[in-house]
Amino acid sequence: LFYDVRVLWKQWSLILTIIFFYLVIIFAMNAPDCEAGYLGPGGIHDYQKYFNCTGGVVGLIDRSILGASHLYQRAKIRSVYDSPFPFDPEGIFGCLMSCVQVFLGVQCGVTLLIYPTARERLRRWLSWGVGLLAFTALLTLFSIEDGIIPINKSMWSLSFVTITSGLA
């Protein structure tokens, strides 16, 4: 089977643009009562330091576009952290990282198309997995809750996407 490498570069350019846009918004915008880059649940998390900052700028964007009444009202972060605002991990802005994860899965399929032997496929998948895990380690500074971008499943953070993709 043949796969056009020119299409592959266009796809990678789009995904890297999405990641860049996502990171710029998260680290450049300040939501009220939040610091730039905050991706936590708000509420009583971190000794109520960011009580009114549920979801950081991602939550603010989703609440601004969709309205609080159109977000998931019973998210775990509300009951566990007593967060004052609803938050939806599948909101408009939050879906960007799930698109990145889907793309990484598509790349596994591209490996099936391009490389004919199991050895070549396995070598590439292992190198991608190790590379994504190493990138996650850098993003999190080798911790679970700290670092530049902590692993956060509820927010579909970039580190969550890279660690789950790397392990898969």
Side-chain angles (χ1 to χ4, degrees):
L1 296 172
F2 178 75
Y3 190 80
D4 191 352
V5 176
R6 293 172 297 186
V7 172
L8 186 62
W9 285 108
K10 289 177 184 177
Q11 293 170 349
W12 271 104
S13 297
L14 176 63
I15 287 300
L16 291 174
T17 302
I18 288 172
I19 293 171
F20 178 77
F21 171 73
Y22 176 84
L23 293 175
V24 165
I25 295 294
I26 285 177
F27 287 103
M29 263 183 82
N30 284 339
D33 300 321
C34 297
E35 67 179 27
Y38 180 73
L39 293 172
I44 61 174
H45 175 256
D46 204 11
Y47 302 104
Q48 298 183 1
K49 187 175 180 181
Y50 306 107
F51 188 81
N52 291 321
C53 191
T54 304
V57 73
V58 173
L60 176 69
I61 290 171
D62 287 345
R63 285 190 300 275
S64 298
I65 294 173
L66 299 173
S69 62
H70 293 286
L71 295 175
Y72 186 49
Q73 299 295 317
R74 289 181 228 104
K76 278 284 187 205
I77 63 173
R78 288 195 84 182
S79 61
V80 173
Y81 295 104
D82 195 25
S83 297
F85 301 112
F87 177 75
D88 195 345
E90 287 113 18
I92 292 172
F93 198 73
C95 282
L96 291 177
M97 288 299 101
S98 56
C99 293
V100 171
Q101 187 158 42
V102 167
F103 177 74
L104 292 171
V106 167
Q107 293 311 297
C108 290
V110 169
T111 299
L112 286 171
L113 293 174
I114 294 177
Y115 301 101
T117 67
R119 172 173 268 162
E120 291 174 313
R121 292 173 181 166
L122 186 59
R123 187 172 62 221
R124 275 150 184 91
W125 286 331
L126 283 174
S127 63
W128 271 104
V130 169
L132 286 168
L133 294 174
F135 185 64
T136 303
L138 292 174
L139 288 175
T140 61
L141 302 176
F142 296 91
S143 73
I144 294 175
E145 294 185 9
D146 296 320
I148 302 164
I149 301 176
I151 298 170
N152 190 332
K153 192 256 186 247
S154 295
M155 303 271 307
W156 276 75
S157 65
L158 180 59
S159 57
F160 172 77
V161 168
T162 56
I163 196 167
T164 54
S165 298
L167 290 172

